[in-house]
Amino acid sequence: MSRSINYTSSPLLASKTPVWRSKFIVACLALAFAGLAGRATYVQVVGNDFFQRQGEVRFARTLELPANRGRVLDRNGLILASSVVAESIWAIPEDVDKNHPKLRELARLLEMPLADLRKRLANEDKTFVWVKRQVDEPVAKQIAALDIKGIYQRREYKRQYPEGEAAAHVVGFTNVEDRGQEGVELAFNQQLAGKAGSRRVIKDRLGRVVEDVRDVVPPVDGPDLQLSIDSKVQYFAWQKLRDAVAQHKAKAGSVIVIDTVTGEVLALANVPSYDPNRRRNLSGEQLRNRVLTDTFEPGSTMKPFIAALALDKGLVRPTTPIQTAPGRITIGGSTIRDTHPAEILTVAQIIQRSSNVGTVKMAMQMSPREMWETYAQAGFGQKPQVPFPGAVAGRLRPYKSWRPIEQATMSYGYGLSTSLFQLAQAYTVFARDGEMIYPTLLKSDTPAQGVRVFSAQNARAVREMLGLAVQPGGTGTRAQTMGYSVGGKSGTARKQEGKGYAEGKYRSVFVGLAPVENPRIVVAVMVDEPNNGQFYGGLVAAPVFSETVQQTLRILGVQPDMSVKPQIVAEPLEESF
């Protein structure tokens, strides 16, 4: 006989518990422990790598150790660009008291409105935010002295450009990440940048390094880059160009100086320019390196190439007379005129007086193919061989499409386009006795190798004609230089706008060489839209050429080949265009 047990007077506790329920609970507990064991096994064994990486993301960091960017030097070792230590300001927004009394002083030191500073610190979900990159060292010290919780500093490098506006278009600049954006800084960015190092560390929540977890990989600093530019020649050329642009109320201007022995570019300057140390509100007008990026119709500066080709083909000699009367010629229904009509002119006089009619009569004795090949060999229509951003090829249409009137106008510089760099490069043909050299922006101590375009004898003959062009009766008398003989050619071209030419808008050009007997330099000058009553190349661009030549040859130590005395400069003859 079984005996019942009275557990309690409670009906719930008095009820009998089914055996299966207790077994179910035990089974659930066992299953839960099995799941935990399986999860632990997965975390510790199977998926260990993944969870290790996730953990490291939260406390381990790989710090980049920036390499010191290489310096940019001129040919004499003077610094054109260098890196200096600069502190960058960053913050942990959640740690910064938005009502801190010193925030106003911090905003003043950072040269930003207090509202902008508070906006940057507003997102408390972030553990890192840049406040301002690369502040000057005195400012960084004052910020550190404020001792605001949550505001920190990180050491970086900042570029400085001692030559400022004068060399801006050559050197260019870097961005806040120290990557080249313009000029040489961009063209040689990979070489200058070096190779960054690294450091693997563990950080706490405040960004402080607790310990290193791996050997430090040291950075490899970028090597220095020595340019062909002479900073003294560069500054002087830029200064004279700037003055000419202001004097003639011009839109812009460019100048380039090339050493004809080594092919080195001694100066390359543009106006307007900019200060690469202070780059706020820069415009495209300021940034354009017009020497390389802007193309224009070269006008009368092309006439010496026609004379040289005619000499090479045996069509004429320097003394060959050509009838230019009555000062005009009609081809295909279009009439070409001379500004100063004459009758019979020799080939030398045609270049001296810049006769369109005489030039066209020589050109029409040649085939379009012969003209095209000569222009192409002289570098027209070909992209310059310089590793510089934005260099253009200009325009030289295939000769098969030339009509007679187009062949005629191309002989005196209309119907094709070129950059000032290409024009200066082409004129090395006359400085190097018929060989054209490819200019370089890097320092070179070895003579440049040339490409033969004309015979040496005929190139020298044209060089003598260029010398006549700056003498009384020529179009470039204002290019004469005290102490040195010079030769060159002026050019005046109407500016194209759309499919036609703009009324009253011109480009004034002068390109030449010095000294005439043994040329050491080629200088080319272009002034865009002079608007102060004068627009001929011989009046606007030639004086810049003159002053640049004189200063450059003195700096290079070239001995004067003429008596050093004031010259009586005759008014230049206005060239035909």
Side-chain angles (χ1 to χ4, degrees):
M1 178 178 175
S2 63
R3 183 176 62 178
S4 62
I5 300 175
N6 186 16
Y7 292 97
T8 180
S9 59
S10 171
L12 181 62
L13 295 176
S15 63
K16 293 183 179 181
T17 304
V19 175
W20 66 267
R21 183 180 294 179
S22 60
K23 290 181 178 179
F24 176 75
I25 292 172
V26 171
C28 287
L29 291 173
L31 186 61
F33 278 110
L36 290 173
R39 180 62 178 172
T41 301
Y42 176 79
V43 171
Q44 296 293 329
V45 180
V46 180
N48 182 258
D49 291 342
F50 171 79
F51 289 103
Q52 287 281 6
R53 288 195 300 270
Q54 292 301 307
E56 288 185 2
V57 166
R58 288 158 175 78
F59 64 82
R61 298 285 188 274
T62 298
L63 301 181
E64 182 180 279
L65 302 178
N68 192 3
R69 192 175 178 87
R71 299 177 301 170
V72 180
L73 309 174
D74 85 337
R75 63 183 301 101
N76 301 310
L78 297 177
I79 295 175
L80 299 177
S82 64
S83 295
V84 296
V85 173
E87 299 291 342
S88 289
I89 312 302
W90 65 280
I92 301 176
E94 64 179 352
D95 291 348
V96 180
D97 179 2
K98 307 306 183 295
N99 297 313
H100 197 291
K102 294 183 179 180
L103 280 185
R104 185 175 298 277
E105 178 65 13
L106 175 61
R108 185 189 68 80
L109 291 171
L110 295 175
E111 298 179 344
M112 66 171 60
L114 180 59
D116 289 355
L117 175 60
R118 284 180 170 154
K119 185 177 180 180
R120 296 194 180 196
L121 301 174
N123 191 347
E124 295 191 357
D125 293 335
K126 292 185 177 180
T127 59
F128 180 95
V129 63
W130 286 115
V131 180
K132 188 169 184 179
R133 304 287 294 273
Q134 299 179 353
V135 300
D136 294 333
E137 186 178 359
V139 175
K141 289 182 178 179
Q142 293 180 64
I143 292 174
L146 295 177
D147 194 25
I148 300 174
K149 182 181 178 182
I151 302 294
Y152 304 96
Q153 298 186 15
R154 176 182 291 182
R155 176 165 292 187
E156 294 187 310
Y157 289 106
K158 179 182 179 181
R159 293 295 262 185
Q160 285 190 339
Y161 303 95
E163 293 300 311
E165 291 184 60
H169 290 102
V170 175
V171 182
F173 59 86
T174 62
N175 63 9
V176 74
E177 301 293 343
D178 219 18
R179 296 189 182 96
Q181 301 296 294
E182 293 285 343
V184 166
E185 293 276 34
L186 174 58
F188 296 92
N189 180 67
Q190 188 172 1
Q191 178 179 338
L192 289 167
K195 186 176 181 181
S198 63
R199 179 188 178 195
R200 189 70 174 169
V201 300
I202 294 176
K203 284 188 171 185
D204 64 12
R205 63 178 296 275
L206 297 180
R208 297 174 300 194
V209 174
V210 177
E211 64 174 314
D212 288 303
V213 295
R214 194 171 66 193
D215 291 340
V216 174
V217 178
V220 179
D221 291 342
D224 292 343
L225 182 69
Q226 191 160 26
L227 303 183
S228 60
I229 297 294
D230 188 306
S231 58
K232 292 180 181 178
V233 176
Q234 176 75 22
Y235 181 80
F236 189 87
W238 172 78
Q239 185 182 52
K240 293 305 176 183
L241 178 69
R242 180 195 61 187
D243 294 346
V245 169
Q247 175 188 347
H248 295 283
K249 298 180 181 179
K251 180 180 178 181
S254 303
V255 60
I256 180 173
V257 181
I258 298 175
D259 186 322
T260 62
V261 176
T262 60
E264 295 170 297
V265 177
L266 302 177
L268 187 159
N270 299 278
V271 174
S273 187
Y274 63 93
D275 186 350
N277 298 297
R278 299 176 181 83
R279 301 191 298 274
R280 292 182 180 177
N281 304 319
L282 286 183
S283 66
E285 290 290 304
Q286 293 172 286
L287 287 172
R288 268 165 48 201
N289 188 347
R290 298 168 187 269
V291 171
L292 283 158
T293 64
D294 284 20
T295 59
F296 55 92
E297 291 181 310
S300 296
T301 58
M302 297 301 295
K303 292 174 182 176
F305 294 93
I306 297 300
L309 180 57
L311 291 172
D312 257 13
K313 295 297 178 183
L315 301 175
V316 296
R317 290 179 297 174
T319 57
T320 298
I322 295 178
Q323 178 61 261
T324 64
R328 61 182 181 273
I329 183 172
T330 300
I331 298 177
S334 299
T335 300
I336 297 167
R337 291 181 169 85
D338 281 341
T339 302
H340 298 281
E343 293 187 358
I344 296 176
L345 296 176
T346 65
V347 173
Q349 289 173 327
I350 287 171
I351 299 303
Q352 180 185 23
R353 296 171 61 90
S354 195
S355 169
N356 286 345
V357 174
T359 304
V360 168
K361 285 193 171 183
M362 285 191 289
M364 299 312 287
Q365 297 180 58
M366 312 167 191
S367 69
R369 178 174 180 174
E370 289 172 333
M371 277 181 58
W372 183 92
E373 287 179 346
T374 298
Y375 283 0
Q377 287 174 344
F380 297 106
Q382 318 293 318
K383 188 174 181 179
Q385 296 183 9
V386 287
F388 215 91
V392 295
R395 183 170 178 262
L396 179 62
R397 292 189 298 107
Y399 62 87
K400 291 183 179 179
S401 65
W402 293 8
R403 294 176 299 159
I405 184 59
E406 291 173 328
Q407 180 182 355
T409 59
M410 284 189 188
S411 70
Y412 58 91
Y414 280 87
L416 71 158
S417 65
T418 179
S419 68
L420 194 67
F421 188 97
Q422 289 174 298
L423 189 58
Q425 173 183 277
Y427 264 68
T428 62
V429 166
F430 305 118
R432 298 264 305 192
D433 292 345
E435 289 186 345
M436 187 195 73
I437 56 175
Y438 294 102
T440 177
L441 284 165
L442 300 179
K443 185 178 180 182
S444 174
D445 295 322
T446 58
Q449 297 298 312
V451 177
R452 175 68 56 189
V453 180
F454 303 119
S455 71
Q457 178 183 354
N458 291 327
R460 285 194 291 268
V462 173
R463 191 162 75 224
E464 292 178 7
M465 298 179 198
L466 294 175
L468 289 175
V470 303
Q471 299 300 320
T475 60
T477 57
R478 292 195 180 183
Q480 293 180 33
T481 299
M482 189 181 301
Y484 298 99
S485 61
V486 299
K489 188 72 189 71
S490 58
T492 307
R494 298 183 186 274
K495 284 194 69 172
Q496 281 187 310
E497 283 190 359
K499 295 183 179 180
Y501 292 96
E503 185 65 31
K505 293 184 179 180
Y506 304 90
R507 279 192 172 95
S508 306
V509 181
F510 194 92
V511 56
L513 43 81
V516 170
E517 288 301 319
N518 187 23
R520 178 64 189 277
I521 58 173
V522 165
V523 178
V525 181
M526 187 275 290
V527 178
D528 188 8
E529 288 189 31
N531 194 30
N532 196 24
Q534 296 178 333
F535 57 86
Y536 286 104
L539 293 171
V540 177
V544 180
F545 169 90
S546 172
E547 294 170 318
T548 301
V549 164
Q550 186 174 40
Q551 188 70 11
T552 301
L553 292 178
R554 286 179 177 176
I555 290 173
L556 294 177
V558 177
Q559 293 297 315
D561 64 337
M562 296 176 64
S563 59
V564 182
K565 61 181 180 181
Q567 299 180 25
I568 300 175
V569 180
E571 281 299 301
L573 195 68
E574 297 170 350
E575 71 260 16
S576 303
F577 62 92

